[in-house]
Amino acid sequence: MKRNVTLKDVAALAGVSFKTVSNVVNHRDDQMTAQTRERVLKAINELGYQTNHSARSLKLGRTGVIGLAVPGFAQPFFGYLTDEAAVAAQEHGLELIVSVYEHLNNGLDTFVRKAPQLGADGWIIFNDQPLPPTASLFHQSFPIVVSGNRSVHGLLDLMSTPNTQGSRLGTQWLIDGGNDIVAFIGAPKPLFDIDDEREREQAVLDATDESAILHLKGYIQALHARGRTVDWRYVMPCSTISTPPGERAAHRLLERCRDARIAVPSAIMCANDAVAYGVISAVSQAGLSIPGDVEIIGFDNLPGSQYVVPPLSTIDQHVDRYVSKAIDRLLARIDGDDSEPRTYMLDADLIERGTTRRHG
């Protein structure tokens, strides 16, 4: 019978000490040089070593369970995120539990106070809303990694989602493809309580949290980068960035163009794929062709986006890499890493499908 590969085997092949291999496996990267770490990882791959999380959990008094906390599942993205997190947890030899905090009294604060009773060794918490310094999240005593909220930068480990970068990428691509008017659908409604358009624009550019406004920020940055100004007649709010509000917003935009006798946009950047599904429906109902009359780009690369008609071009923020990195960081915290909080910036790529034309 083939015996299991041990840390001693890895140490012997890499030519390092047992402790160095242990530091690599337990994510204590500051204890070695990058070259040493790469040598150990190469040995791990060659030997096929796998961490036995169950054994380590028993030794350290761990449960082998991690948690994912999300606001809710009204947006399809959170179902996608949860599915990818479950797969990544399994690949790490862990179990995943999921908690929804949106409907709790005081929401996230209540969840943070209850989390230690839920049996997980640590939590990945998704939140993109601004947090006051008194928020429970900043005063908890269990291992966490926060996703999506820039206000925790430097205070907690953060996986920073590329909302602004991705929307900027998509909008610039549409402009560079020859579209004179690029609209945006999915702006937050409260933003339009600011009557002065210059103040409204500055509020967007100053924003650091909330995904809808960060997507709009990327759109505005792209316009500026291409020497254009914001025409707020082509920026449409949604009550939530989901499919029915996206469809209604697109209908309102097309009605506005007709009533005001202004040009219909030849391209639309959407806050996410769910909004884009509604936009596709509204544009098609109006008798316009996609992408012939109107190009559309979403954001998230949800699994269903390749199956809508036409298949949706979208910004991929690589959720699989995102959750795997978050779990790696959480495990390091669970195993006692007390180094300074780290922020990980994720990348984004454009996936071209049937709602955009080939840009040569």
Side-chain angles (χ1 to χ4, degrees), residues 108-185:
L108 184 59
D109 272 355
T110 299
F111 163 75
V112 171
R113 289 194 295 271
K114 289 184 174 181
Q117 306 166 27
L118 299 179
D121 295 327
W123 286 85
I124 299 168
I125 299 175
F126 191 98
N127 174 66
D128 70 349
Q129 300 299 309
L131 294 172
T134 56
S136 298
L137 196 65
F138 297 123
H139 306 285
Q140 44 65 42
S141 58
F142 54 89
I144 65 169
V145 172
V146 177
S147 172
N149 194 317
R150 290 286 298 170
S151 65
V152 309
H153 172 65
L155 301 173
L156 298 168
D157 289 325
L158 169 66
M159 306 300 295
S160 183
T161 52
N163 296 318
T164 300
Q165 303 95 305
S167 289
R168 184 171 61 238
L169 170 66
T171 304
Q172 288 183 174
W173 190 86
L174 290 169
I175 293 171
D176 293 344
N179 289 292
D180 293 329
I181 302 174
V182 179
F184 181 89
I185 295 182

Side-chain angles (χ1 to χ4, degrees), residues 33-112:
T33 66
Q35 292 84 352
T36 298
R37 180 176 180 276
E38 287 302 315
R39 194 160 74 248
V40 172
L41 290 175
K42 182 179 179 182
I44 286 173
N45 289 332
E46 286 184 14
L47 294 173
Y49 173 79
Q50 293 184 334
T51 303
N52 187 334
H53 286 287
S54 297
R56 186 169 66 178
S57 294
L58 288 171
K59 180 180 178 181
L60 299 177
R62 311 295 191 205
T63 65
V65 176
I66 61 171
L68 172 68
V70 297
F73 291 102
Q75 291 186 34
F77 170 76
F78 291 116
Y80 177 35
L81 175 70
T82 300
D83 188 56
E84 291 292 341
V87 171
Q90 188 175 43
E91 290 174 349
H92 283 75
L94 303 166
E95 295 295 329
L96 180 77
I97 60 173
V98 180
S99 183
V100 174
Y101 61 80
E102 187 173 52
H103 302 297
L104 297 174
N105 288 331
N106 297 319
L108 184 59
D109 272 355
T110 299
F111 163 75
V112 171

Side-chain angles (χ1 to χ4, degrees), residues 232-243:
W232 287 96
R233 296 175 299 178
Y234 292 101
V235 177
M236 302 302 296
C238 289
S239 54
T240 61
I241 47 176
S242 53
T243 301

